[in-house]
Amino acid sequence: MRAQPKASHFIDGEYVEDTAGTVIESIYPANGEVIARLHAATPAIVEKAIAAAKRAQPEWAAKSPTARGRILKRAAEIMRERNRELSELETLDTGKPIQETIVADPTSGADSFEFFGGVAAAALNGDYIPLGGDFAYTKRVPLGVCVGIGAWNYPQQIACWKGAPALAAGNAMVFKPSENTPLGALKIAEILIEAGLPKGLYNVIQGDRSTGPLLVNHPDIAKVSLTGSVPTGRKVYEAAAAGLRHVTMELGGKSPLIVFDDADLESAIGGAMLGNFYSTGQVCSNGTRVFVQRKVKDAFLARLKERTEAIVIGDPMDEATQLGPMVSKAQRDKVFSYIEKGKAEGARLVTGGGIPNAVNTEGTYIQPTVFADVTDEMRIAREEIFGPVMCVLDFDDEAEVVARANATEFGLSAGVFTADITRAHRVVDQLEAGTLWINTYNLCPVEIPFGGSKQSGFGRENSVAALNHYTELKTVYVGMGKVEAPY
Ligand code: NAD
């Protein structure tokens, strides 16, 4: 099998196997080939991983942030040196085209290690609070053992986005990738050891929805950071609440992307396509409700159709390929069912909707799809599809579109395309979302906070803000005089 790792889990600095765990088959979505066979963690493996993390964490926390950061920055360098190899693995794991993985996956993971390796020394400071003669100070202290649980769309990036701030702040991590994409995180764990990370601080265990609760309910964990769907988020949040554990929830969305009639239309179409078709539409922050002002609707749709039909679909390992298959058959079936719902509800299919020609029929390919004349009540406009399906809705004026854009339980992202600078800021100010873009879409460099509001979650990844979510504040009051007690 061409991507078989040495073993299923990486614990305490080495690969570990326990064949008693349920079999997880890793399937290359481009042709259905089984490329690795792994085992889900048994309760014994979960215990082993958490015990290793708990043992290793205090010594790591006692190091200076600069010393910790040096190791993370070395990991970033190794990831960049191995970008090609890691990107190919990410393509095998997910089916995403190499054209994307080579610029967006290991590289964004490396950015995360580089950034948090650098800011650790500068951003983990506390405050000095003068109180007359007395004073107080605060310290940012690590939480302890943190659990990371990943989705399948950006497996390596998610493993790094959770691992880098956790480790920089002095925590240990046990990370569970999605059962659909088990391979990449193991390599991240290997690279961290090579970079000099003491063993036990970054452990990877495999498993599915039955393994997650073993981690989240464990008494020795301090925090869980989940990237996943809203229903999973509710379950994980509930379990974490029972143990009063910290949480970061990066969940789903149905984000609005608003195109006013004064916008640069080619850029707006480009933004809408990136925000619906990149990674075959499997991006949480996608702008899947594209509101287009009526005056430019026809021009927008005509050019969008033309550009969408020119997308190169094919073998993900071919550098010319722009759109690969979906991650799994189950996910593609779900997307097809939404396409059927869209047609049944009266949306107009502008392009796509089926299986593309000239692809491996064992692969889980799907055409990039555009629906027009979509209305707010349609299920395709209300529910997260998580595939390459763009819904175009019409609007007339600003107040109307803001109200309609906000009429959703989700609040992950939003975007506005307009040439009117005042309107751009006025509109984003009113949109209910955690991450917003003006005249671009879906750019998430590590320097800026990323995360959602409403049902899309809370807590932030990336930026200095993420360090706050992996630490807690300790306040120390210092008495400088005698204690005057009234008794
Ligand atoms: P999912 O919710 O099915 O699974 C996510 C992870 O949670 C998997 O590792 C899964 O094994 C685990 N899990 C499932 N049930 C669990 C439980 N009860 N306890 C603990 N762990 C459990 O999501 P998915 O299908 O892998 O990913 C797609 C979803 O993720 C979409 O909704 C998408 O919007 C969301 N997502 C969000 C972000 C973000 O940053 N906001 C990024 C990527 C994906």
Side-chain angles (χ1 to χ4, degrees):
M1 269 172 291
R2 63 166 142 162
Q4 186 68 37
K6 286 189 197 127
S8 301
H9 320 290
F10 193 96
I11 300 173
D12 216 6
E14 57 190 27
Y15 277 98
V16 177
E17 192 54 273
D18 180 351
T19 52
T22 333
V23 171
I24 294 177
E25 281 193 337
S26 169
I27 293 170
Y28 182 35
N31 60 11
E33 176 192 342
V34 177
I35 54 170
R37 206 163 267 131
L38 301 94
H39 295 271
T42 55
I45 286 287
V46 172
E47 283 304 325
K48 194 176 165 72
I50 292 179
K54 192 178 172 189
R55 207 166 40 239
Q57 191 264 333
E59 205 176 312
W60 176 243
K63 282 185 190 294
S64 76
T66 306
R68 291 198 297 264
R70 197 174 301 132
I71 292 169
L72 302 187
K73 285 193 266 184
R74 178 68 195 125
E77 279 168 21
I78 301 174
M79 285 188 76
R80 291 215 174 87
E81 284 157 17
R82 303 215 187 126
N83 186 34
R84 160 67 55 179
E85 179 198 326
L86 290 167
S87 301
E88 284 176 3
L89 183 67
E90 190 76 339
T91 289
L92 288 171
D93 222 1
T94 60
K96 297 198 290 181
I98 191 81
Q99 190 189 87
E100 280 188 22
T101 53
I102 206 119
V103 296
D105 292 88
T107 49
S108 64
D111 285 353
S112 175
F113 282 125
E114 186 179 0
F115 177 83
F116 286 105
V119 299
L124 287 167
N125 301 332
D127 289 322
Y128 168 85
I129 303 153
L131 298 167
D134 293 354
F135 66 93
Y137 61 91
T138 61
K139 320 163 52 138
R140 286 231 149 253
V141 296
L143 303 172
V145 177
C146 301
V147 165
I149 300 180
W152 39 257
N153 56 345
Y154 281 83
Q156 290 184 27
Q157 181 186 83
I158 294 171
C160 298
W161 279 17
K162 299 193 189 306
L167 292 171
N171 301 283
M173 173 153 277
V174 178
F175 183 79
K176 189 199 82 63
S178 161
E179 56 274 34
N180 284 312
T181 51
L183 304 176
L186 291 168
K187 283 284 165 201
I188 310 293
E190 238 183 77
I191 286 171
L192 280 163
I193 289 289
E194 201 181 322
L197 187 74
K199 58 188 194 169
L201 290 166
Y202 188 85
N203 309 280
V204 173
I205 66 162
Q206 306 298 338
D208 56 17
R209 57 191 58 244
S210 59
T211 317
L214 299 179
L215 289 169
V216 180
N217 293 322
H218 198 287
D220 287 342
I221 72 134
K223 173 184 173 104
V224 54
S225 174
L226 168 78
T227 298
S229 61
V230 172
T232 302
R234 287 200 186 98
K235 285 186 204 136
V236 173
Y237 191 15
E238 203 177 304
L244 286 177
R245 300 184 217 297
H246 296 251
V247 289
T248 294
M249 293 282 154
E250 293 293 351
L251 309 177
K254 190 77 195 176
S255 301
L257 193 164
I258 304 172
V259 181
F260 285 97
D261 58 16
D262 61 350
D264 175 328
L265 221 50
E266 279 299 305
S267 289
I269 293 165
M273 290 175 73
L274 282 167
N276 278 275
F277 303 145
Y278 204 71
S279 295
T280 320
Q282 303 161 116
V283 181
C284 52
S285 50
N286 272 354
T288 45
R289 289 183 294 144
V290 181
F291 291 93
V292 179
Q293 204 159 15
R294 209 172 300 274
K295 205 169 114 195
V296 291
K297 172 186 168 178
D298 290 344
F300 183 93
L301 284 173
R303 213 26 212 137
L304 172 64
K305 177 174 158 64
E306 199 176 5
R307 287 177 63 176
T308 300
E309 288 171 358
I311 290 176
V312 180
I313 308 171
D315 174 3
M317 286 296 178
D318 181 343
E319 302 224 346
T321 294
Q322 297 171 321
L323 193 97
M326 302 219 56
V327 75
S328 65
K329 190 169 177 311
Q331 188 60 24
R332 186 178 67 168
D333 288 348
K334 180 181 159 200
V335 176
F336 274 138
S337 82
Y338 272 105
I339 290 172
E340 289 313 310
K341 284 183 191 98
K343 290 184 202 160
E345 285 174 315
R348 175 163 59 93
L349 188 63
V350 174
T351 184
I355 295 174
N357 297 325
V359 289
N360 187 323
T361 49
E362 299 301 315
T364 44
Y365 288 91
I366 185 164
Q367 286 177 317
T369 299
V370 176
F371 278 112
D373 303 332
V374 177
T375 57
D376 298 347
E377 327 69 62
M378 292 180 184
R379 281 185 67 185
I380 55 167
R382 285 189 288 118
E383 297 173 17
E384 186 184 46
I385 300 175
F386 221 59
V389 180
M390 188 192 306
C391 294
V392 179
L393 303 93
D394 316 327
F395 76 95
D396 292 301
D397 71 68
E398 184 182 313
E400 168 214 335
V401 78
V402 167
R404 290 170 59 200
N406 285 339
T408 167
E409 59 171 353
F410 300 109
L412 186 52
S413 313
V416 179
F417 278 86
T418 176
D420 180 339
I421 185 171
T422 324
R423 171 160 65 191
H425 293 287
R426 188 171 60 233
V427 169
V428 292
D429 203 41
Q430 297 171 79
L431 290 173
E432 296 163 358
T435 311
L436 302 103
W437 292 275
I438 294 174
N439 290 336
T440 188
Y441 203 80
N442 258 359
L443 298 178
C444 298
V446 68
E447 294 89 344
I448 67 171
F450 176 77
S453 61
K454 293 161 82 176
Q455 299 286 302
S456 295
F458 44 78
R460 291 292 177 268
E461 296 201 296
N462 291 340
S463 81
V464 175
L467 285 178
N468 293 345
H469 297 292
Y470 282 99
T471 51
E472 61 190 352
L473 219 48
K474 202 171 204 174
T475 305
V476 182
Y477 185 111
V478 182
M480 296 295 285
K482 289 201 176 300
V483 175
E484 285 174 22
Y487 35 76

